[in-house]
Amino acid sequence: MLDLKFIRENIEVVKNGIALKRAEDNIDAILALDNQRRTLIGEGEGLKAKRNDVSAKVGQMKKAGENADAVIEEMNSVKMRIQQIDEELKGVEEKLEELMLTVPNVPHPSVPVGTTPDDNTSIFEWGEKPVSDVPLKPHWDITSALGIIDFDRGSKVSGAGFPFYVGKAATLQRALINFFLDQASEHGYKELQAPIVVNKDSARGTGQIPDKEDMMYVATRDELYLIPTAEVPVTNFHRKETFEEKDLPIKYAGYTPCFRREAGSYGKDVRGLNRLHQFDKVELVKFVHPSTSYDELESLRTDAERLLQLLGLPYRVLLMCTGDMGFTQTKKYDLEVWAAGQQKWLEVSSCSNFEAFQARRMNIKFKSKETGKQEFVHTLNGSGLALPRIVAAIIEHYQTPEGKVIVPKVLQPYTRFSVID
RNA sequence: GGAGAGGUGUCUGAGUGGUUGAAAGAGCCAGUCUCGAAAACUGGAAUAGUCGCAAGGCUAUCGAGGGUUCGAAUCCCUCCCUCUCCGCCA
């Protein structure tokens, strides 16, 4: 959510941002409601001041043994008017809040203008794509031959998109989780094991509600949401808190399963491990001083990239254009790993700066030494990394002509085997 | 799940429905004292909204939301959370 005052004072900037993100422009309606709101507040507060004043007098009169009935009678009409105004104000504020939630975050000036994924800029590419005389196989062929991922039984037990990892694939997955978490703590991220269901306030805090409500599984009986990413519980960890400036930046790494309904994406890229309803992910989250958030975004990206480099997997970095960026971000990089068997890029990380957008929704602040005031922190997050697609990339990249898979060197201490066969 | 107790400012902890934004103590910041520090003393210190060029004013906030009242931290209702006991259980 943007700051209403900021909107009021930067109408053109906000409108421009909305256009760049191709969102609905409700700014004029917002400004009108804001005016209405402030008028009502003005009138209401005047009356409340009067009420407080008179009530104090009534107290004194009663103490002095005087009769206050006339004054009380007079206050009855004031009281009713206050009630009217408060009610009207509540209605206006509800409408205003609703519209405020439709205003996307304003893209950073460094973000290229564009409308579709084709307008995203590939800014960096790393690694050698493997070349082979025989065509490389997609991972699903390899895993089914090896019997290490069981999609059919997953469908039986839960449904499409909920595979079992069997034997060495399960171990590989576990190894990756530990490897990612170890790397994260080595670079200053505190490990956090988070709840994987959250309440409504938390879902709203990070912006899944209302704009991405369809993506989540909901336990309606208890009004709990299965998290689509650890970003939700980890960022909400500090909801309604104020940091000391000297404690910033604060960095967390959280491993969780993630649940996504993926409604509407059937048929798109859904083979094998490419798109699942449940998957594992290590997420990196930062709470930072506003003045450093773009530097922190770069270092976050570096932290994610390093993992791919250590695994020896070719990847590229995309700077997302204004139109393909999410609602809540000001700047976002996607990391895509090369899936050698499928001959395509798979997104495995998305590193974003939200500036104060989430912090404002969640009321996460720090006390500024400079101004003595409380200011909103900036929040960032990025995957480090999403597991199934990494497993897919490893299997496809490190496959042998015999249909085995070599385990990347850095993972071998974790798996304690060097070949999947 | 059942029964009970409770949720007040950074913390501890007062608070009979009427100058209570809220006692007191601790802690924090500044000053006095000191060569310096401690102690002592003095003073300061919440957040948000709104009006104002500003100084500052006003409004709201004692778990959350409603209600009663001229007036609510204080009374009533609903919900949330914490603690104790019981039950169930990895």
Side-chain angles (χ1 to χ4, degrees):
Chain A
M1 179 151 53
L2 289 178
D3 181 16
L4 187 52
K5 215 180 275 173
F6 177 83
I7 295 178
R8 213 148 58 199
E9 287 159 12
N10 299 275
I11 299 174
E12 285 319 307
V13 174
V14 174
K15 281 192 170 227
N16 189 39
I18 292 172
L20 287 173
K21 282 201 172 170
R22 298 181 305 147
E24 192 185 349
D25 186 340
N26 290 317
I27 296 304
D28 293 333
I30 286 173
L31 292 172
L33 282 168
D34 180 40
N35 267 327
Q36 228 179 317
R37 168 181 154 265
R38 285 189 289 160
T39 307
L40 288 169
I41 287 175
E43 195 185 341
E45 289 192 347
L47 290 172
K48 281 175 189 170
K50 184 175 179 189
R51 180 191 64 189
N52 290 345
D53 207 43
V54 172
S55 291
K57 278 201 194 100
V58 170
Q60 284 171 6
M61 287 168 81
K62 290 212 164 174
K63 221 175 234 172
E66 294 170 39
N67 187 312
D69 288 354
V71 189
I72 290 174
E73 180 62 30
E74 187 197 333
M75 275 304 102
N76 267 322
S77 66
V78 172
K79 184 185 171 188
M80 278 179 38
R81 181 67 192 136
I82 288 175
Q83 239 163 30
Q84 262 175 22
I85 289 171
D86 278 349
E87 219 160 285
E88 208 176 321
L89 184 62
K90 197 175 158 193
V92 169
E93 283 185 331
E94 269 167 21
K95 255 186 271 173
L96 186 59
E97 169 87 8
E98 207 176 290
L99 290 183
M100 285 293 286
L101 290 173
T102 68
V103 182
N105 208 352
V106 179
H108 191 262
S110 66
V111 171
V113 175
T115 52
T116 69
D118 297 332
D119 297 322
N120 297 333
T121 324
S122 175
I123 59 166
F124 183 69
E125 218 173 300
W126 184 93
E128 298 284 321
K129 295 178 185 173
V131 282
S132 162
D133 302 335
V134 291
L136 293 171
K137 293 177 187 157
H139 66 271
W140 50 83
D141 285 350
I142 301 164
T143 58
S144 77
L146 293 172
I148 55 171
I149 296 182
D150 197 329
F151 291 96
D152 293 339
R153 289 199 175 93
S155 298
K156 176 178 70 182
V157 173
S158 300
F162 294 95
F164 282 81
Y165 298 79
V166 181
K168 285 185 172 174
T171 309
L172 177 68
Q173 185 108 240
R174 179 158 54 86
L176 281 164
I177 293 164
N178 284 330
F179 169 63
F180 290 161
L181 286 173
D182 285 350
Q183 283 293 315
S185 33
E186 226 168 87
H187 290 90
Y189 296 82
K190 184 176 279 184
E191 188 174 336
L192 217 51
Q193 193 164 96
I196 60 173
V197 294
V198 296
N199 60 28
K200 201 165 197 166
D201 284 342
S202 297
R204 193 180 292 115
T206 30
Q208 273 71 30
I209 295 179
D211 35 288
K212 284 185 190 164
E213 196 150 5
D214 285 348
M215 92 188 304
M216 282 185 291
Y217 289 97
V218 189
T220 49
R221 188 168 173 176
D222 299 292
E223 258 211 294
L224 291 169
Y225 297 77
L226 274 68
I227 59 168
T229 160
E231 167 196 347
V232 180
V234 173
T235 313
N236 276 284
F237 187 58
H238 286 300
R239 177 149 48 91
K240 294 184 181 171
E241 292 183 21
T242 303
F243 300 116
E244 293 296 323
E245 185 168 7
K246 64 175 166 52
D247 294 334
L248 299 176
I250 293 171
K251 303 172 11 175
Y252 293 108
Y255 153 71
T256 65
C258 303
F259 303 88
R260 296 189 183 177
R261 296 183 61 238
E262 301 291 356
S265 66
Y266 292 105
K268 257 196 292 180
D269 246 4
V270 294
R271 286 212 68 180
L273 296 170
N274 287 1
R275 188 181 296 277
L276 302 172
H277 286 306
Q278 178 186 330
F279 63 96
D280 287 336
K281 181 159 65 69
V282 172
E283 186 75 6
L284 308 174
V285 175
K286 293 186 183 185
F287 302 85
V288 310
H289 193 282
S291 65
T292 65
S293 69
Y294 285 92
D295 292 336
E296 293 286 354
L297 177 62
E298 295 307 312
S299 77
L300 178 64
R301 194 189 96 194
T302 305
D303 289 334
E305 281 185 49
R306 186 183 309 110
L307 302 171
L308 290 162
Q309 292 175 9
L310 289 169
L311 291 170
L313 296 171
Y315 69 91
R316 65 175 185 179
V317 181
L318 298 180
L319 174 56
M320 310 303 281
C321 73
T322 54
D324 198 34
M325 195 168 28
F327 182 83
T328 53
Q329 297 101 3
T330 60
K331 186 171 185 175
K332 171 168 128 173
Y333 294 106
D334 272 5
L335 269 50
E336 296 186 333
V337 72
W338 179 247
Q342 304 176 60
Q343 294 280 303
K344 63 158 75 158
W345 298 100
L346 298 178
E347 181 190 333
V348 290
S349 180
S350 178
C351 301
S352 310
N353 188 357
F354 303 91
E355 293 196 7
F357 199 82
Q358 292 182 328
R360 191 170 293 110
R361 273 193 196 187
M362 281 184 280
N363 214 344
I364 304 176
K365 300 182 170 179
F366 71 97
K367 189 145 188 173
S368 166
K369 269 268 183 293
E370 204 179 318
T371 63
K373 289 267 173 201
Q374 299 200 12
E375 294 177 37
F376 291 109
V377 298
H378 283 186
T379 60
L380 302 92
N381 67 52
S383 339
L385 300 160
L387 272 289
R389 290 177 185 166
I390 291 295
V391 170
I394 286 174
I395 289 170
E396 295 184 16
H397 186 85
Y398 288 104
Q399 62 180 287
T400 69
E402 301 77 41
K404 301 175 180 177
V405 177
I406 308 293
V407 177
K409 273 264 174 336
V410 288
L411 288 182
Q412 291 182 9
Y414 291 91
T415 54
R416 296 191 293 166
F417 52 76
S418 54
V419 181
I420 302 174
D421 49 15

